[in-house]
């Protein structure tokens, strides 16, 4: 099994793995966007900046406090999530009664502020973040070498996605959330504090983005632009999948990562644009998105 | 039902129009604007003023969509940047005269707007914003790879050439008058569009699309035409900018440029005719004075975004209009 369709097998599997990893980040980020959008009706343009912030908090914890990767994986989402809670309480919540587009403009502005501040502090070039020793090295899978950390990212992202799905579909608080997404006024009438749920939902979505940021820190270099470059692709992923379904976002995220990886093997020139082309095709054939409700 | 706090201008009693579809107040404001454009090159640096005019036209073109159709495009850099690239290429490599080059820029903007708009108008609201942003990023990646754009270097040393093949534009002041003329033509074109029967249908779509549909209007066709017009004028603005500065780069197609044009319109006042012009002047002036502070410009732009959305949604011109109880 040295060649598949005339392509050397290690190259094909290597790109497939890279695609799967990118897909893991698409899935985690689009999942957070979908959860926030479902509850708040706000498309969170700060999501990319919050992802980047997660990576930077991890870097700062290591370099200023001596707290390693495992602490960062736990604490960075909490720190950034609390920041999200603050943001929702002080600003975003003032806009619910207005046109939804104002929420978009506000979060875009906050994203610019965060990105600019981080660039002022740390510069535009990337900062290195070492792979934790427990996860360095590679497994020999027989047909290819698999860096342990990359496998870890895919597995953890999958677990995080499934856990989010379980919380929303199988727990009491998740049922409140789904009900409040359908009809907030009615749920409020039953005595559930809907504004607080919105705050917590936003905080959780932001924490998910920061969690993805920590996972990304050892793979991509930690730099101020890492979020904005990624989030525009994630917006396309969200348009393709539709924001109606949790599993839909996860499947679309991983699927498009793989499509991108395969494009790198067979037609590298198009690898940067293939997701946007898929978006155009989906919009022509199924405007509501693959899993969306019209 | 009109969305509360939507992007519409203030609702004041319609004043009579006196000239070219201007109301009396608008006509006065327009004459003031023309006077400022005519006098300012004698006091201020013409190259700076030309930059303001290019971005003012760009912002006016953007505002045609958000202010009068209610469509938030987050990817207008694509039309502006591609218009700039093609105009620059036409002037430098193909050797066209500047007016033809700018027209080519406009045509490219329109063509790109037709393709992207045709797909994007299938969705509304925030999806529309995300789709236009994504397509603009696709155009950006195309420009990074394509040979004629010069990649990271951009197209440099674009000649200003001779207008109609006879009037040399190398002097800044001559170039300024041409830029001013292009801006005023574009401005009047947008004004005329808004106040035509076609523009009335656009506004009805902004206020209540289902009702416009039920009255028998094919709202998608109207939205697409508005989108193409807006993209065309953005292309013209990008084209004239390339001719003025002799350079077309990736900055003009990047998503930050799309954000800047949103900011200009927001600061000046969404859905006002003069707002984008004032907004462009404010933002360009700010960038000019803060250029040495590097990334702080981004931070300050973000802060202005947040302040405008939270406390200043009418923008400068919108607030003045509200204060004077007139539509500006």
């Amino acid at each position: 099994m040295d060649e598949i369709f005339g392509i050397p097998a290690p190259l094909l599997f290597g790109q497939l793995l890279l695609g799967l990893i990118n897909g893991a980040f698409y899935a985690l980020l689009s999942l957070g966007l979908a959860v926030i959008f479902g509850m708040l009706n706000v498309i969170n343009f700060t999501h990319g900046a919050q992802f980047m912030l997660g990576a930077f908090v991890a870097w700062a914890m290591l370099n200023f406090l001596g707290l390693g990767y495992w602490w960062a994986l736990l604490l960075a989402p909490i720190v950034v999530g609390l920041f999200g809670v603050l943001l929702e309480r002080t600003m975003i919540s003032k806009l619910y009664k207005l046109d939804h587009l104002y929420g978009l403009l506000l979060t875009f502005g906050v994203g610019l502020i965060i990105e600019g501040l981080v660039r002022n502090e740390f510069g535009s070039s990337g900062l290195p973040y070492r792979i934790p020793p427990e996860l360095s090295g590679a497994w020999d899978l027989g047909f290819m070498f698999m860096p342990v950390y990359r496998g870890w990212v895919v597995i953890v992202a999958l677990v995080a996605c499934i856990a989010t799905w379980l919380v929303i579909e199988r727990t009491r608080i998740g049922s409140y959330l789904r009900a409040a997404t359908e009809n907030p006024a009615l749920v409020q009438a039953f005595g559930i504090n809907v504004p607080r749920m919105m705050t917590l939902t936003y905080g959780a979505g932001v924490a998910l983005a920061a969690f993805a940021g920590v996972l990304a820190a050892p793979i991509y270099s930690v730099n101020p632009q890492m979020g904005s470059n990624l989030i525009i692709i994630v917006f396309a992923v969200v348009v393709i999948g539709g924001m109606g379904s949790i599993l839909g976002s996860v499947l679309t995220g991983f699927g498009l990562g793989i499509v991108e990886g395969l494009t790198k093997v067979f037609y590298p020139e198009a690898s940067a644009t293939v997701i946007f082309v898929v978006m155009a095709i989906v919009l022509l054939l199924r405007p509501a998105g693959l899993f969306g409700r019209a | 039902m009109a969305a509360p706090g939507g992007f519409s201008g203030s609702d004041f009693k319609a004043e009579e129009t006196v000239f070219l579809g201007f109301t009396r107040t608008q006509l006065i404001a327009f004459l003031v604007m023309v006077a400022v454009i005519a006098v300012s090159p004698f006091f201020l640096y013409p190259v700076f003023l030309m930059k303001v005019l290019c971005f003012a036209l760009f912002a006016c073109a953007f505002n045609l969509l958000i202010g009068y159709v209610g469509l938030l495009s987050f990817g207008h850099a694509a039309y502006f940047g591609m218009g700039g690239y093609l105009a620059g290429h036409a002037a430098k490599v193909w050797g066209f005269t500047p007016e033809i080059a700018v027209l080519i820029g406009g045509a490219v903007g329109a063509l790109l707007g037709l393709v992207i708009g045709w797909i994007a108008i299938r969705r509304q609201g925030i999806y529309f914003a995300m789709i236009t942003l994504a397509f603009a990023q696709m155009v950006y990646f195309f420009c990074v790879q394509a040979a004629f754009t010069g990649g990271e270097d951009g197209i440099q040393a674009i000649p200003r050439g001779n207008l109609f093949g006879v009037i040399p534009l190398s002097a800044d002041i001559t170039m300024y008058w041409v830029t001013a003329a292009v801006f005023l033509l574009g401005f009047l074109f947008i004004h005329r569009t808004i106040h035509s029967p076609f523009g009335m249908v656009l506004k009805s779509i902004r206020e209540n699309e289902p009702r416009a549909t039920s009255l028998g209007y094919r709202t998608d066709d109207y939205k697409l035409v508005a989108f193409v017009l807006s993209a065309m004028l953005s292309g013209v603005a990008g084209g004239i900018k390339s001719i003025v500065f002799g350079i077309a780069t990736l900055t003009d197609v990047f998503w930050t440029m799309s954000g800047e044009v949103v900011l200009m319109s927001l600061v000046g006042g969404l859905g006002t005719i003069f707002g984008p012009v004032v907004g462009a002047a404010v933002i360009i002036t700010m960038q000019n004075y803060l250029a040495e502070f590097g990334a702080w410009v981004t931070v300050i732009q973000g802060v202005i975004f947040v302040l405008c959305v939270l406390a200043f949604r009418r923008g400068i011109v919108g607030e003045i209009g509200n204060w004077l109880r007139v539509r500006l």
Side-chain angles (χ1 to χ4, degrees):
Chain A
M1 217 170 71
D2 290 343
E3 285 197 1
I4 298 167
F5 305 126
I7 306 283
L11 175 67
L12 183 65
F13 288 120
Q15 289 298 346
L16 266 182
L17 177 64
L18 271 182
L20 213 53
I21 287 169
N22 283 337
F25 290 116
Y26 298 158
L28 276 176
L29 290 175
S30 64
L31 182 61
L33 279 179
V35 171
I36 291 173
F37 178 75
M39 188 73 199
L40 281 72
N41 262 320
V42 165
I43 186 76
N44 185 30
F45 262 53
T46 324
H47 218 65
Q50 285 151 341
F51 164 83
M52 176 267 289
L53 219 49
F56 267 95
V57 168
W59 183 88
M61 279 181 170
L62 183 67
N63 288 281
F64 300 141
L65 304 174
L67 294 174
Y69 177 81
W70 301 104
W71 281 109
L73 210 52
L74 178 71
L75 293 177
I78 295 177
V79 172
V80 182
L82 284 176
F83 163 75
V85 166
L86 194 71
L87 183 66
E88 197 276 345
R89 274 294 84 204
T90 54
M91 296 184 190
I92 299 175
S93 59
K94 315 283 184 235
L95 300 176
Y96 292 144
K97 290 193 177 67
L98 301 172
D99 194 308
H100 301 327
L101 295 177
Y102 281 116
L104 185 161
L105 295 178
L106 178 92
T107 50
F108 178 77
V110 174
L112 284 184
I113 297 175
I114 297 174
E115 203 179 305
L117 287 175
V118 172
R119 197 177 316 144
N120 271 332
E121 195 60 35
F122 299 98
S124 302
S125 53
L127 304 167
Y129 191 92
R130 208 181 286 250
I131 294 177
E134 299 87 345
L135 297 173
S136 50
W139 292 315
D140 186 357
L141 298 183
F143 53 90
M144 66 178 288
F145 280 99
M146 165 104 143
V148 175
Y149 189 78
R150 304 197 162 209
W152 157 257
V153 167
V154 175
I155 292 165
V156 170
L158 263 179
V159 169
C161 289
I162 292 168
T164 310
W165 182 80
L166 282 176
V167 167
I168 291 175
E169 296 291 331
R170 291 282 181 271
T171 64
R172 180 171 289 267
I173 192 134
S175 69
Y176 292 162
L177 190 85
R178 279 177 289 134
T181 304
E182 293 286 329
N183 191 337
L186 196 60
V187 174
Q188 183 128 31
F190 285 140
I192 291 162
N193 190 338
V194 172
R196 186 189 295 158
M197 278 185 61
M198 292 171 116
T199 308
L200 291 178
T201 306
Y202 188 76
V206 170
L208 207 56
F211 181 75
V214 181
L215 280 182
I219 298 185
Y220 308 121
S221 82
V222 180
N223 69 69
Q225 302 87 7
M226 65 190 283
S228 51
N229 291 339
L230 187 60
I231 200 66
I232 300 179
I233 299 176
V234 174
F235 284 147
V237 172
V238 161
V239 172
I240 293 168
M243 286 193 280
S245 129
I246 300 281
L247 281 181
S249 337
V250 176
L251 281 179
T252 318
F254 277 101
L256 285 170
I258 291 171
V259 167
E260 203 181 29
L262 288 178
T263 313
K264 265 188 199 131
V265 178
F266 292 103
Y267 189 56
E269 292 83 2
S271 61
T273 46
V274 64
I275 289 188
F276 303 118
V277 174
V278 173
M279 179 182 84
I281 295 169
V282 168
L283 281 170
L284 290 175
L285 299 178
R286 256 185 85 93
L290 294 178
F291 300 90
R293 286 172 292 187
Chain B
M1 190 195 77
F7 286 99
S8 51
S10 317
D11 292 316
F12 301 118
K13 232 181 279 176
E15 279 182 84
E16 257 181 82
T17 57
V18 288
F19 180 65
L20 279 178
F22 284 116
T23 65
R24 186 191 301 270
T25 351
Q26 285 174 342
L27 187 62
I28 295 170
F30 178 70
L31 292 176
V32 169
M33 184 176 81
V34 172
V36 169
I37 291 174
V39 172
S40 49
F42 299 107
F43 301 97
L44 295 165
Y45 186 42
V47 175
F48 165 73
L49 292 172
M50 284 190 274
K51 190 171 183 192
V52 172
L53 287 176
C54 292
F55 278 96
L57 179 58
F58 183 27
C60 286
F62 168 79
N63 186 46
L64 173 64
L65 272 186
I66 177 82
Y68 297 94
V69 203
L71 292 173
L72 173 58
S73 159
F74 227 93
H76 255 48
Y79 321 112
F80 183 71
M82 278 302 265
Y85 271 128
L86 261 293
H89 191 74
K92 188 182 176 182
V93 181
W94 295 334
F96 281 111
T97 50
E99 74 283 352
I100 304 286
V102 170
L103 285 178
I104 289 176
V108 167
L111 204 64
L112 202 57
L114 184 66
V115 177
I116 295 180
W118 182 63
I119 300 174
I121 54 170
R122 284 150 207 267
R123 302 300 302 271
Q124 276 117 15
I126 49 180
Y127 279 100
F128 183 84
M130 288 194 287
I131 293 165
T132 45
L133 174 61
F135 277 125
Q137 190 74 354
M138 181 174 166
V139 171
Y140 170 78
F141 282 128
F142 168 77
C143 290
V144 171
Q145 290 177 347
F148 83 98
T149 60
E152 299 283 336
D153 300 329
I155 304 179
Q156 295 183 1
I158 299 164
R160 282 189 186 173
N162 300 329
L163 186 67
F164 306 121
V166 284
I167 310 167
L169 294 177
S170 47
D172 280 343
I173 193 72
T174 325
M175 188 73 235
Y176 176 79
W177 297 122
V178 174
T179 312
V182 171
F183 164 73
L184 285 175
L185 279 177
F187 183 87
L188 287 174
F189 177 77
I190 292 171
H191 180 78
R192 192 70 199 84
T193 307
I194 294 166
H195 293 89
S196 65
F198 170 76
M200 295 299 158
V201 179
L202 292 185
K203 275 181 252 184
S204 78
I205 294 172
R206 176 190 74 192
E207 296 300 325
N208 192 332
E209 189 172 347
R211 186 182 283 181
T213 309
S214 79
L215 288 173
Y217 292 106
R218 296 182 180 198
T219 54
D220 277 359
D221 294 356
Y222 281 86
K223 286 198 274 188
L224 183 56
V225 172
F227 197 92
V228 171
L229 288 179
S230 175
M232 179 188 78
L233 288 166
S234 303
V236 169
I240 189 89
K241 182 176 171 283
S242 294
I243 300 292
V244 168
F245 293 95
I247 184 166
T249 63
L250 285 173
T251 320
D252 297 338
V253 271
F254 199 47
W255 60 267
T256 47
M257 184 59 76
S258 302
E260 268 175 35
V261 76
V262 179
L263 182 62
M264 288 171 190
S265 309
L266 185 65
V267 166
L270 297 169
T272 62
I273 313 168
F274 296 98
V277 183
V278 175
V282 169
I283 299 297
I284 297 294
T285 308
M286 188 201 80
Q287 288 176 346
N288 212 35
Y289 284 102
L290 296 177
E292 55 193 296
F293 294 106
W296 283 109
V297 176
T298 315
V299 178
I300 293 169
Q301 284 185 344
V303 171
I304 299 176
F305 250 112
V306 170
L307 288 180
C308 279
V309 171
L310 286 179
F312 195 58
R313 280 186 288 275
R314 285 198 190 97
I316 297 170
V317 173
E319 288 291 344
I320 295 173
N322 191 48
W323 184 54
L324 297 172
R325 313 295 300 164
V326 290
R327 203 192 298 262
L328 279 171

